[in-house]
Amino acid sequence: MANSKLNLLIQTLSLSIFFFSEFAISSLAESSQVFTQIKQQNEDNEPFVGVNIGTDVSNLLSPLDLVAFLQLQKITHIRVYDADPNILRALARTKIRVIISVPNNQLLAIGSSNATAASWIGRNVAAYYPETLITGISVGDEVLTTVPSSAPILLPAIQSLYGALVAANLHNQIKISTPHAASIILDPFPPSQAFFNQSLSSVILPLLQFLSRTGSPLMMNLYPYYVFMQNKGVVPLENALFKPLTPSKEMVDPNTLLHYTNVLDAMIDAAYFSMKNLNITDVMVLVTETGWPSKGDSKEPYATKDNADTYNSNLIKHIFDRSGTPLHPETTSSVYIYELFNEDLRWPPVSEANWGLFYGNTTPAYLLHVSGIGSFLANDTTNQTYCIVMDVVDSKTLQAALDWACGPGKANCSEIQPGENCYSPNNVKNHASYAFDSYYQKEGKAAGSCDFKGAAMITTTDPSHGSCIFPGSKNSGNKTKQVVNSTQLRSAGERLSFNTFSSIRIIAANHLLHIFLAAVFPTLLLFLL
C-alpha cells in the first residue's frame, strides 16, 4: 500500500513538474509577446514628425540609398504617394514606419470591385508586412476638392480596402483614411465657428463615422503659408511661423476665449470643431502635409529660406513639446513635413519646386535649427555641417580654389600634406574638400564661407574617412556628450524594459506556483494519510 502511494506521488509530481515547466515557458513567452506589443503601441502613439517623399526629382536616390539617407537623418516616419515595391523592399527590417498611398487614378477600380481592393492589399501590403512597417494607407489625395467627380467612389474604395485588411487580419495594425485639403472646412477662424462644406456632407459624415468605428485619423493637409498669403494684413507673419507673439497679436476665439499663438493650431482645432458639429468627438487629426517653401517668384516674396527654416524648425519643436492645441492640450497631432526633397521637375509657380528640406543630391536646401529637441534630423543642424567640393567641378577651378584656401584663406592644410592622415587619396578633389571644410569651420560657418566661386557645397554627411578626420568633426565639441547621453538613455530604457518584463515574469511565476501547489497538495495529503 505504501509503495503504491509512493509511486502515485512520484508520478503526480513528475506530471506536475512537466506541465508546470511547459506552462511556465509558454506563459513567459506570451508575457514577452504582450510586453513587445505594449512597447510597440506606446511607440506608435507618441506624437512624431515625419516627411513626405515626392518623386518628381532629377536623379532621385535609389531606394537603398534613400533608406540609408533616412536612417542617417534619424527620420522614422515617412509618407509616399504610391506603393513603390522597390521602396517597400528597401524599408524591410528597418524601424522606419511608412504610410503608403492609393493614387487618385486607381480609386474607380478599387471602389468598384472588392476583388480589386483585395488584390491591391495583397500586392502592396500583405506582401511586405510586417518586415516593412506599413502603418497606414492614404486613399487618394484631396479627392473632394481636386477630383470632385470621384467623391462618390471615395468611401466605397476605403471600405473595400478596409475589408481586405480585415480579411488579412491587418486592420488593427494598419489604419486607413484619406487626406483632405484645408478648404473642405469653411469659416475656419475663429475655430469654434468652423464647419465642413455642407455640399460635401453626404461624403464627410459617413466617412467620419467610418473613421470613428475603425480608430483611424482624419488626415488633413494644412498649410499656414497659404493662410498667411491669402490673409496678409490680417494674419501676422509671426503667427504663421510659430514666432513668439505679444498678447495683442495673439488670435483669440471670442466664443471660447482660447488664445491661439500659431496658425497651425487654429487650423487643427477648426477640424475638431467641424467634427464636433457632426457629433464626432473621438477621431484624431493627423497632419499629412505641412511646410513652407524656401523659394518663390516675384508674387511669392515670403517664400524664403529664412521663413522655411523658421517655420519647419519651430514646427518640429512645437510637436516635440507635446503641448497639443488650445482646444485639446492633452492631444498632440503628429505631422508630416512637405517634403523631403525639392521636386525640381514640378512647376509653375517657382515655389512648387521648393518645398524640400534637401535638394535631390541630399544637400540641405537650408539649415534647420533643431538641435536639442530630440533625435529627429539630428544630422541636419547648424552644429553638424561640413563644406566639401560640389559634385561636378573642373580640376582647374578646384586647384585655384584649393590654392586660395590654403594660402590667402589661411585654412589649416597640414593634414593633406604627404604622409599625413588626409593625404590619401592623393587627388585635388579630396584635398580641396578638406581645405574647404577647414576654411568653413575657421570662419565659424559664416554665410558665404562655403562657396569658393560655386565649387563648394554644404553637407550634413560627415566626409571623414579612415584616419582622416575632417575639421567639422574635430570641432563638434558636443558630439561626445551626445553619445554619452544617448548611451545613458538607452541604458535607462533597457533597465525599464528589463524591470517591466521582470515584473511580468514574477507575476506569471507566482500564478504558476499556485497552480503547481494546487495540483500537488492533494496528492501529498493522500500520501501522508
Side-chain angles (χ1 to χ4, degrees):
M1 181 68 177
N3 287 339
S4 63
K5 283 186 176 181
L6 183 59
N7 289 336
L8 177 61
L9 174 62
I10 292 169
Q11 289 173 6
T12 304
L13 285 171
S14 299
L15 286 171
S16 298
I17 290 169
F18 171 76
F19 285 118
F20 175 81
S21 61
E22 289 296 307
F23 187 64
I25 291 167
S26 62
S27 294
L28 291 177
E30 187 176 340
S31 298
S32 177
Q33 276 185 340
V34 168
F35 174 71
T36 302
Q37 289 171 358
I38 290 170
K39 184 180 176 186
Q40 181 87 33
Q41 288 169 1
N42 287 339
E43 287 176 358
D44 289 342
N45 290 334
E46 286 293 312
F48 60 81
V49 179
V51 293
N52 289 278
I53 303 178
T55 55
D56 288 335
V57 181
S58 298
N59 303 316
L60 185 67
L61 295 177
S62 71
L64 287 174
D65 287 341
L66 172 61
V67 170
F69 179 66
L70 293 171
Q71 291 174 316
L72 174 69
Q73 293 297 335
K74 307 289 194 297
I75 294 170
T76 56
H77 292 76
I78 64 171
R79 174 173 170 249
V80 294
Y81 291 91
D82 51 22
D84 186 326
N86 296 314
I87 290 179
L88 293 178
R89 275 193 292 269
L91 288 168
R93 292 174 294 282
T94 70
K95 293 182 179 180
I96 299 170
R97 291 160 168 78
V98 57
I99 291 179
I100 59 175
S101 302
V102 177
N104 288 345
N105 60 12
Q106 295 181 23
L107 288 177
L108 182 59
I110 290 173
S112 304
S113 166
N114 289 336
T116 302
S119 174
W120 196 94
I121 292 295
R123 187 172 65 253
N124 299 303
V125 180
Y128 302 102
Y129 189 89
E131 285 78 12
T132 298
L133 296 176
I134 300 169
T135 58
I137 302 171
S138 57
V139 183
D141 190 44
E142 301 187 354
V143 173
L144 301 183
T145 48
T146 58
V147 279
S149 60
S150 295
I153 205 72
L154 178 60
L155 185 56
I158 291 173
Q159 290 171 325
S160 293
L161 290 166
Y162 179 75
L165 286 176
V166 171
N169 198 28
L170 294 173
H171 58 294
N172 290 322
Q173 295 91 340
I174 300 170
K175 300 303 179 184
I176 187 165
S177 187
T178 182
H180 300 287
S183 57
I184 67 166
I185 295 173
L186 303 181
D187 201 8
F189 195 84
S192 60
Q193 292 179 194
F195 59 94
F196 289 114
N197 186 333
Q198 292 178 344
S199 67
L200 303 174
S201 58
S202 61
V203 177
I204 290 287
L205 180 56
L207 173 61
L208 289 173
Q209 290 168 338
F210 168 85
L211 299 179
S212 175
R213 282 196 312 273
T214 60
S216 301
L218 173 65
M219 294 178 170
M220 297 294 300
N221 296 342
L222 304 178
Y223 289 97
Y225 170 75
Y226 290 123
V227 172
F228 169 74
M229 290 295 289
Q230 293 161 11
N231 298 276
K232 289 195 296 288
V234 178
V235 175
L237 179 62
E238 297 92 336
N239 204 284
L241 295 175
F242 295 93
K243 284 187 174 182
L245 293 169
T246 59
S248 62
K249 284 192 173 183
E250 287 183 2
M251 300 184 292
V252 180
D253 188 322
N255 302 313
T256 62
L257 300 182
L258 294 173
H259 287 238
Y260 288 88
T261 59
N262 66 82
V263 173
L264 184 67
D265 280 353
M267 297 178 81
I268 292 172
D269 276 357
Y272 281 124
F273 275 111
S274 298
M275 287 193 283
K276 189 176 180 182
N277 287 336
L278 297 177
N279 296 317
I280 302 293
T281 57
D282 59 352
V283 173
M284 268 195 71
V285 173
L286 173 64
V287 182
T288 36
E289 289 182 13
T290 190
W292 197 282
S294 61
K295 186 178 179 181
D297 57 30
S298 58
K299 295 179 181 178
E300 302 171 296
Y302 297 95
T304 66
K305 290 186 177 183
D306 281 346
N307 286 343
D309 168 21
T310 301
Y311 179 82
N312 283 320
S313 295
N314 288 338
L315 167 72
I316 294 165
K317 293 173 186 174
H318 185 63
I319 300 305
F320 285 123
D321 280 346
R322 289 161 171 69
S323 54
T325 65
L327 180 63
H328 287 297
E330 78 288 353
T331 303
T332 300
S333 292
S334 295
V335 304
Y336 288 83
I337 293 175
Y338 185 83
E339 56 185 332
L340 184 61
F341 299 121
N342 277 344
E343 293 189 86
D344 59 316
L345 301 179
R346 297 187 60 155
W347 57 277
V350 172
S351 62
E352 274 297 295
N354 290 280
W355 288 86
L357 301 176
F358 297 88
Y359 296 108
N361 65 0
T362 73
T363 305
Y366 48 89
L367 296 175
L368 291 174
H369 292 70
V370 296
S371 56
I373 54 87
S375 60
F376 179 77
L377 287 176
N379 290 336
D380 182 31
T381 73
T382 50
N383 293 326
Q384 292 174 302
T385 55
Y386 310 86
C387 181
I388 61 172
V389 169
M390 189 76 80
D391 285 340
V392 183
V393 182
D394 66 89
S395 57
K396 187 176 180 181
T397 301
L398 270 187
Q399 187 64 57
L402 172 61
D403 292 342
W404 183 90
C406 295
K410 298 182 179 179
N412 184 350
C413 297
S414 59
E415 288 291 301
I416 54 176
Q417 301 307 310
E420 300 299 330
N421 289 333
C422 296
Y423 179 71
S424 296
N426 179 20
N427 58 60
V428 67
K429 183 176 181 180
N430 178 67
H431 291 178
S433 281
Y434 186 92
F436 289 177
D437 192 54
S438 177
Y439 179 79
Y440 174 65
Q441 305 297 337
K442 177 179 74 74
E443 295 296 308
K445 305 178 185 178
S449 61
C450 182
D451 181 47
F452 298 94
K453 295 186 177 179
M457 68 177 187
I458 294 171
T459 180
T460 58
T461 302
D462 189 346
S464 302
H465 50 89
S467 59
C468 175
I469 308 301
F470 267 56
S473 292
K474 296 175 184 176
N475 295 342
S476 294
N478 63 344
K479 216 170 196 180
T480 305
K481 183 179 177 182
Q482 287 174 347
V483 171
V484 170
N485 287 345
S486 67
T487 304
Q488 290 171 343
L489 287 172
R490 186 174 66 249
S491 298
E494 287 168 353
R495 286 198 299 273
L496 177 61
S497 301
F498 177 77
N499 290 340
T500 305
F501 183 51
S502 295
S503 298
I504 293 172
R505 287 194 292 182
I506 290 167
I507 292 167
N510 283 338
H511 181 62
L512 294 172
L513 185 58
H514 282 95
I515 295 172
F516 177 65
L517 291 174
V520 173
F521 190 66
T523 306
L524 285 171
L525 280 178
L526 179 63
F527 176 73
L528 293 171
L529 293 173

